[in-house]
Amino acid sequence: MPLLLTGSVANPLSLSAADLAALPAAAQIADVSRLDPKRAGRAVKLSALLELAQPNADAQYLTLHADRDDFHASLPLAAIRDRAVVIYELNAAPLPEKAGSPYRFLIPDHAACHTAEIDDCANVKYVARLELSATRGHDNRPLEDQAHEELHRRQAEQS
Ligand SMILES: Nc1nc2c(c(=O)[nH]1)N[C@H]1C(S)=C(S)[C@@H](COP(=O)(O)O)O[C@H]1N2
Ligand SMILES: [Mo]
């Protein structure tokens, strides 16, 4: 399944895992566990994708869309553009579902879960599309503690 980068960009992208693997070494993170010991696999830097897509000057937010479970997070681009990565491969194979296939977003050095805008909850699994926009996009991360706890319970059941 291709990774799409759409919205306020000059060159919308549609890149397969093989296309991502073929990006230059400077775009790659060969071992994500070095960025976050809880995560594994190969990733590409968000900055490299943005360089290819050429965001418009008005692009201020990046929205991560996981249609599989209807989970969406919209993040200020400036806070993540130089550190976020997209994990696309684990053990030389496509990401397994448990690892968040087709693609998993990761912001290294994120805040603890549910403590800030850029927290563990923003590390969206099952991402198939990244969308740039001038204003905040769709975001349905739970705001209430109780709804967030329920989400964690559901995730624990799935894994
Ligand atoms: N698609 C999707 N991504 C998601 C979630 C979700 O429910 N769906 N939960 C988020 C939350 S609340 C957290 S804390 C982290 C947990 O990641 P983990 O299960 O790998 O520890 O994933 C985030 N990414
Ligand atoms: Mo979370």
Side-chain angles (χ1 to χ4, degrees):
M1 185 187 278
L3 176 70
L4 306 181
L5 201 159
T6 64
S8 188
V9 296
N11 302 315
L13 304 181
S14 172
L15 299 171
S16 67
D19 294 333
L20 294 172
L23 292 178
Q28 306 283 339
I29 304 288
D31 179 3
V32 164
S33 72
R34 291 206 191 161
L35 299 178
D36 182 340
K38 273 174 56 194
R39 313 288 173 196
R42 259 180 101 78
V44 287
K45 297 175 184 170
L46 175 64
S47 57
L49 299 178
L50 294 172
E51 216 169 281
L52 291 173
Q54 295 289 313
N56 296 335
D58 72 350
Q60 306 260 22
Y61 285 87
L62 180 72
T63 305
L64 310 163
H65 295 286
D67 291 328
R68 178 185 302 171
D69 66 347
D70 190 29
F71 189 85
H72 310 263
S74 192
L75 310 172
L77 186 58
I80 57 166
R81 67 175 309 152
D82 294 327
R83 57 182 175 135
V85 304
V86 178
I87 305 171
Y88 65 90
E89 200 179 280
L90 184 65
N91 303 327
L95 279 194
E97 171 155 354
K98 252 183 87 169
S101 74
Y103 305 104
R104 174 148 204 191
F105 202 73
L106 174 65
I107 307 150
D109 307 317
H110 54 75
C113 186
H114 203 40
T115 59
E117 195 168 41
I118 311 289
D119 64 5
D120 196 16
C121 314
N123 288 324
V124 180
K125 307 175 227 190
Y126 322 133
V127 173
R129 185 162 64 98
L130 310 176
E131 183 184 19
L132 285 163
S133 55
T135 55
R136 188 182 291 277
H138 188 31
D139 191 324
N140 63 2
R141 285 178 292 167
L143 296 172
E144 305 291 328
D145 286 349
Q146 196 190 336
H148 179 245
E149 287 309 319
E150 270 164 32
L151 175 63
H152 277 222
R153 257 201 306 280
R154 282 204 303 279
Q155 291 187 101
E157 279 162 17
Q158 280 163 18
S159 61

